[in-house]
Amino acid sequence: MSHLMNTYSRQPVTFTHGEGVWLWDKEGNKYLDALAGVAVNGLGHAHPKLVNAISQQVAKMIHVSNIYGIAEQEKLADKLAEISGMDKVFFCNSGCEANEAAIKLARLYGHNKGIETPETIVMERAFHGRTMATLSATGNRKAQAGFEPLVSGFIRVPYDDLEAVKQIASRKNNVVAILVEPVQGEGGVYIPADMAAYLQGLRKVCDDNGWLMMLDEVQSGIGRTGTWFAFQHTGMTPDVMTLAKGLGSGVPIGACVAKGAAADIFTPGKHGSTFGGNPLATTAGLTTLHAIQDEKLRENAQKMGDLICDGLRSALKGVAGVMVIRNAGLMIGIELDRPCADLVKMALETKLLINVTAEKVVRLLPPLVINEAEANELAARLSVLIKQFLSQ
Ligand SMILES: *Cc1c(COP(=O)(O)O)cnc(C)c1O
């Protein structure tokens, strides 16, 4: 009997080590990893620069309290500010914690303005995490069921629907913020039809009404869509952005980044974290960002994402059951006309690691280091599997 709580329906495989986009199991089988620990291992597995930097840091000091100055944390905050054009960073340990920080920041912003019951606009199909507040902000009834009472203070509108947000602006005066993913990951890899127009439109509603524009870039950030952050495709900058997944390449770290007035809302005692931003995690973050920059991995993410999708499109052309293939860099979704969870197991049997989200969407989130040969191999192997699955 396993002593692990039954929170995951796990695939029947256990890995021992990896290199780049490849993983090996206990029996020595080699797998192509097109999931990257769900958008975490952007540098792939065992990246030499990361291994070296965090090994050295471990030998010096893993953790000290935020009661003291932490040089590595300050350097990572400087780097995040430089690449985002934003001002200040709060470090935590995960995506949901980054969103918790953003949600608290928005409420405090409201209270500071005299709004006693501040509300935040969130989206249908959104995913923001599993803690009580972020679960309440998440737009998935299945994930919420059984955990009521949910946290109040959220108003839900359809994704990619600017009018719905404008209507709320015209009838409510206690809204303080919008929280939205530039690309919905867990929800099914949904990309706004015109991302720039949508986010600029939301930005304008926020400006007109004194709301904070908050982007959840936990999955879309850190190079995955071809820019450091997805919002950099749009010509607007948010007031608040949350990060995690790819930031530490597997060493747990999250960040809530803010700009302008939003950057100075928290004061001592209002928020904190024991582990958040410790020397090990922030060294991993800084090394990750430098490697992405030095190895031109944003450019690579864009190119390889398009290459994989081109490969899939030509191999799956005219195949009934394939609804649409969409991507923002290396966030790739292949929507089928039927539930396809079984594809994950079929792929595993052929030593390919993929994921299915929102029941019908095959999701690929390969490491940003994937090269052309590996990208072509991924498209070829996956399209065979999809055809096989659809013809069953
Ligand atoms: C994964 C994810 C989260 C939650 O991150 P955790 O580290 O699992 O808490 C939040 N938002 C988005 C968009 C995500 O993809």
Side-chain angles (χ1 to χ4, degrees):
M1 184 197 81
S2 170
H3 291 287
L4 295 172
M5 279 198 194
N6 189 24
T7 46
Y8 308 99
S9 49
R10 296 177 195 267
Q11 298 300 319
V13 64
T14 302
F15 301 107
T16 54
H17 64 286
E19 189 182 327
V21 301
W22 304 98
L23 276 170
W24 282 265
D25 69 13
K26 291 189 291 189
E27 283 75 39
N29 296 304
K30 183 182 179 185
Y31 297 75
L32 176 52
D33 181 6
L35 187 59
V38 193
V40 167
N41 304 107
L43 302 185
H45 300 281
H47 190 290
K49 282 183 202 157
L50 182 74
V51 170
N52 186 42
I54 63 181
S55 304
Q56 285 190 21
Q57 186 58 50
V58 165
K60 283 196 278 189
M61 166 174 75
I62 295 173
H63 176 85
V64 287
S65 168
N66 281 305
I67 290 172
Y68 309 108
I70 300 175
E72 296 79 9
Q73 187 180 119
E74 289 181 27
K75 276 192 216 161
L76 180 56
D78 289 348
K79 186 69 187 167
L80 284 170
E82 174 203 319
I83 63 178
S84 66
M86 298 174 73
D87 297 323
K88 294 192 183 177
V89 187
F90 169 81
F91 287 108
C92 49
N93 312 288
S94 65
C96 61
E97 282 179 68
N99 286 327
E100 284 279 344
I103 291 163
K104 282 181 68 176
L105 189 153
R107 287 183 171 207
L108 190 55
Y109 168 76
H111 280 277
N112 288 348
K113 290 203 295 184
I115 298 173
E116 277 172 24
T117 54
E119 294 195 284
T120 295
I121 296 176
V122 293
M123 305 297 152
E124 288 174 7
R125 277 190 328 235
F127 184 80
H128 298 299
R130 301 276 192 176
T131 59
M132 280 313 308
T134 59
L135 180 66
S136 306
T138 288
N140 178 344
R141 271 304 299 155
K142 265 195 206 160
Q144 293 170 337
F147 301 106
E148 299 83 357
L150 297 175
V151 174
S152 60
F154 298 102
I155 313 172
R156 199 168 304 284
V157 298
Y159 188 63
D160 200 11
D161 184 344
L162 191 55
E163 274 314 307
V165 173
K166 286 183 181 164
Q167 288 206 350
I168 288 175
S170 69
R171 68 182 170 82
K172 285 210 156 223
N173 57 13
N174 62 338
V175 174
V176 291
I178 298 176
L179 176 62
V180 57
E181 296 155 273
V183 178
Q184 288 186 325
E186 305 300 306
V189 193
Y190 286 102
I191 306 165
D194 183 341
M195 195 201 291
Y198 181 49
L199 293 191
Q200 282 177 19
L202 293 179
R203 170 81 268 176
K204 183 160 190 315
V205 180
C206 286
D207 289 342
D208 291 348
N209 293 280
W211 303 347
L212 298 179
M213 169 87 188
M214 310 204 296
L215 293 182
D216 180 345
E217 294 239 22
V218 168
Q219 193 163 141
S220 58
I222 318 295
R224 182 146 294 276
T225 73
T227 49
W228 282 118
F229 312 106
F231 79 76
Q232 291 168 330
H233 294 290
T234 70
M236 57 71 71
T237 306
D239 299 299
V240 176
M241 163 175 72
T242 56
L243 300 172
K245 295 205 162 92
L247 180 56
S249 296
V251 181
I253 183 169
C256 176
V257 187
K259 181 180 164 65
D264 295 316
I265 289 169
F266 283 138
T267 50
K270 291 295 185 192
H271 200 48
S273 165
T274 297
F275 295 124
N278 82 17
L280 175 62
T282 44
T283 294
L286 199 58
T287 309
T288 299
L289 297 181
H290 281 134
I292 290 173
Q293 188 160 342
D294 296 346
E295 296 169 26
K296 299 193 165 27
L297 297 182
R298 286 166 287 161
E299 297 82 343
N300 194 61
Q302 188 66 61
K303 265 193 237 154
M304 294 303 114
D306 293 344
L307 184 68
I308 292 165
C309 288
D310 288 347
L312 290 170
R313 281 194 193 99
S314 63
L316 295 172
K317 200 170 169 197
V319 174
V322 179
M323 305 305 286
V324 59
I325 299 170
R326 50 183 176 251
N327 78 303
L330 282 172
M331 268 182 103
I332 302 170
I334 304 130
E335 186 170 333
L336 304 185
D337 68 350
R338 66 200 76 172
C340 57
D342 289 350
L343 247 174
V344 175
K345 203 150 272 165
M346 285 173 65
L348 184 67
E349 280 162 14
T350 69
K351 312 290 179 267
L352 175 64
L353 306 179
I354 60 166
N355 171 247
V356 165
T357 191
E359 290 185 353
K360 296 178 183 175
V361 182
V362 180
R363 180 170 53 156
L364 307 178
L365 297 162
L368 309 185
V369 295
I370 192 169
N371 67 30
E372 208 171 304
E374 293 157 347
N376 285 327
E377 180 177 338
L378 168 56
R381 286 170 62 179
L382 180 60
S383 49
V384 169
L385 281 167
I386 289 176
K387 278 192 243 180
Q388 227 179 315
F389 171 78
L390 289 170
S391 65
Q392 281 172 4

